[in-house]
Amino acid sequence: MKVAVVGATGLVGGEILKVLAERDFPVTELLLVASERSVGKQMEFKGKQLKVIGMQDAIAAAPQIAIFSAGGSTSTEWAPKFAEVGTVVVDNSSAWRMDPSKKLVVPEINAKELTKEDKIIANPNCSTIQMVVALNKLHEELQMKRIVVSTYQSVTGTGVKAVDQLMNERGGKEGEKAYPYQIDLNVLPHIDVFQDNGYTKEEMKMILETKKIMGDDSIRVTATAVRIPVMGGHSESVNVEFAKDFTLDEVYRILGETEGVVVVDDVKNLKYPMPQDAHGKDEVFVGRVRLDETQPRTLNMWIVADNLRKGAATNAVQIAEYLVKHELV
């Protein structure tokens, strides 16, 4: 199994390498791929030093799987070239997510839709992934009608430059900025670019991707995406209305049976999910589960996950694992 990691030198790329090693993915040859300025750089994988190569060399090697985390424009240009040589691309960018000819996959929900014909597979947005993992089985049993979500997103979602900005500001140092304003001791209600409707691209990703992953355009979704000065994971306040009646006991039962979800909800002992507890973990953590007392069949919940892990790297590796297990590569 020859595997390429495209964007290997980035934050998510590094996390993909970590997850491949931790999950003992059956790699016989690993290709570390990055932009020309990183070619020749040495990186470690499972105790071995590997040299970073360029795109053309990686395509010539014809890997079975390429996991991309190198941005939308890179994916748009290069993913089809990998696909042409028979490589299955699992892409972390937004480039292919809403393309009707491409599958948008969260393995716990819709990996069964994948076939051998799928050569470019889209990995959803980090904030969408953790929300749909938590809500999927609830939707199956109770049928979601409307979701109102506000996110509290880690600076790691923006990348190394944003992490540096936060730490520089915290240390009183000057440096390059990823955001138009200070992020330390501040909150920015602005992730990605603003659209004509007043929503940001990040908010629209959550709205559109949820419907596509769930395969249900009738679900109404509205979102506010916010950047906060933390590292370790994204948090979400979610208010969800269902078509069917339910009790809190039923909700806890369903969440307890949901693959990939851990319930942390003991408010008497101040137990609830936090980004620092989700950091480095692959599960989605759910707590603060309570009825919305202003209208029937509606639930409030708090959802936290490591955005670099389940929100990106782990989900992509899980897709690759599914492809191998079901002999789709």
Side-chain angles (χ1 to χ4, degrees):
M1 180 63 57
K2 194 185 293 184
V3 176
V5 176
V6 179
T9 56
L11 264 186
V12 176
E15 211 63 36
I16 290 166
L17 297 179
K18 204 184 291 182
V19 173
L20 287 169
E22 284 175 15
R23 295 173 76 92
D24 209 20
F25 189 83
V27 182
T28 52
E29 185 180 345
L30 183 65
L31 307 173
L32 303 183
V33 190
S35 62
E36 287 304 316
R37 68 178 178 274
S38 295
V39 169
K41 182 180 174 182
Q42 295 276 340
M43 293 183 72
E44 189 182 308
F45 180 75
K46 286 190 168 181
K48 291 181 185 169
Q49 290 295 318
L50 300 174
K51 198 174 280 190
V52 174
I53 63 173
M55 292 288 195
Q56 295 291 3
D57 287 344
I59 292 167
Q64 281 102 326
I65 296 172
I67 303 178
F68 267 63
S69 189
S73 57
T74 301
S75 294
T76 302
E77 180 182 355
W78 291 99
K81 294 175 182 176
F82 276 86
E84 279 171 20
V85 298
T87 301
V88 178
V89 173
V90 180
D91 181 48
N92 260 305
S93 81
S94 60
W96 308 99
R97 289 176 188 156
M98 296 315 299
D99 183 327
S101 69
K102 306 291 184 288
K103 308 277 171 62
L104 183 64
V105 175
V106 176
E108 295 91 336
I109 300 174
N110 61 347
K112 58 188 177 294
E113 296 174 10
L114 293 171
T115 69
K116 281 191 172 180
E117 280 64 57
D118 294 308
K119 292 301 180 191
I120 298 176
I121 301 162
N123 208 43
N125 184 42
C126 47
S127 44
T128 306
I129 290 174
Q130 67 187 69
M131 184 173 76
V132 296
V133 166
L135 294 179
N136 180 51
K137 276 191 77 67
L138 288 167
H139 179 51
E140 285 177 2
E141 295 204 27
L142 304 174
Q143 195 184 336
M144 291 189 297
K145 290 175 66 178
R146 182 171 187 256
I147 302 167
V148 181
V149 55
S150 296
T151 72
Y152 304 72
Q153 295 181 222
S154 163
V155 294
T156 57
T158 308
V160 174
K161 197 160 112 176
V163 174
D164 290 345
Q165 178 179 341
L166 173 61
M167 300 318 290
N168 283 339
E169 289 170 352
R170 191 149 292 187
K173 298 177 192 168
E174 287 299 316
E176 203 179 357
K177 294 192 181 299
Y179 303 120
Y181 300 103
Q182 176 178 320
I183 185 63
D184 189 35
L185 299 176
N186 198 16
V187 164
L188 304 181
H190 168 196
I191 298 179
D192 214 324
V193 295
F194 284 99
Q195 309 291 285
D196 290 342
N197 62 357
Y199 286 77
T200 65
K201 200 171 173 185
E202 182 83 359
E203 291 157 355
M204 292 310 300
K205 285 175 193 173
M206 293 193 77
I207 292 164
L208 299 171
E209 290 176 23
T210 298
K211 296 168 185 273
K212 183 172 178 178
I213 295 162
M214 296 296 198
D216 188 344
D217 281 335
S218 73
I219 304 169
R220 292 172 295 155
V221 186
T222 188
T224 302
V226 180
R227 188 73 67 192
I228 63 171
V230 303
M231 293 191 281
H234 290 348
S235 305
E236 297 171 349
S237 171
V238 176
N239 177 277
V240 54
E241 180 187 355
F242 297 96
K244 298 179 183 176
D245 285 315
F246 58 85
T247 65
L248 278 182
D249 284 344
E250 283 178 274
V251 170
Y252 283 119
R253 172 190 62 76
I254 294 166
L255 287 171
E257 294 170 359
T258 303
E259 185 186 350
V261 165
V262 174
V263 176
V264 182
D265 199 1
D266 179 6
V267 292
K268 285 180 182 169
N269 291 301
L270 307 184
K271 300 288 187 189
Y272 34 71
M274 295 182 290
Q276 64 182 16
D277 300 323
H279 183 59
K281 298 186 174 75
D282 292 327
E283 296 82 11
V284 173
F285 298 86
V286 179
R288 298 295 320 279
V289 178
R290 61 212 187 276
L291 298 174
D292 180 338
E293 296 183 343
T294 67
Q295 64 172 19
R297 299 183 298 280
T298 303
L299 196 65
N300 283 308
M301 59 206 304
W302 178 251
I303 302 169
V304 179
D306 185 326
N307 53 295
L308 297 183
R309 301 276 301 196
K310 183 55 183 170
T314 302
N315 199 76
V317 173
Q318 286 174 318
I319 293 171
E321 287 172 341
Y322 185 93
L323 296 171
V324 171
K325 183 179 177 182
H326 296 271
E327 298 179 355
L328 299 177
V329 288

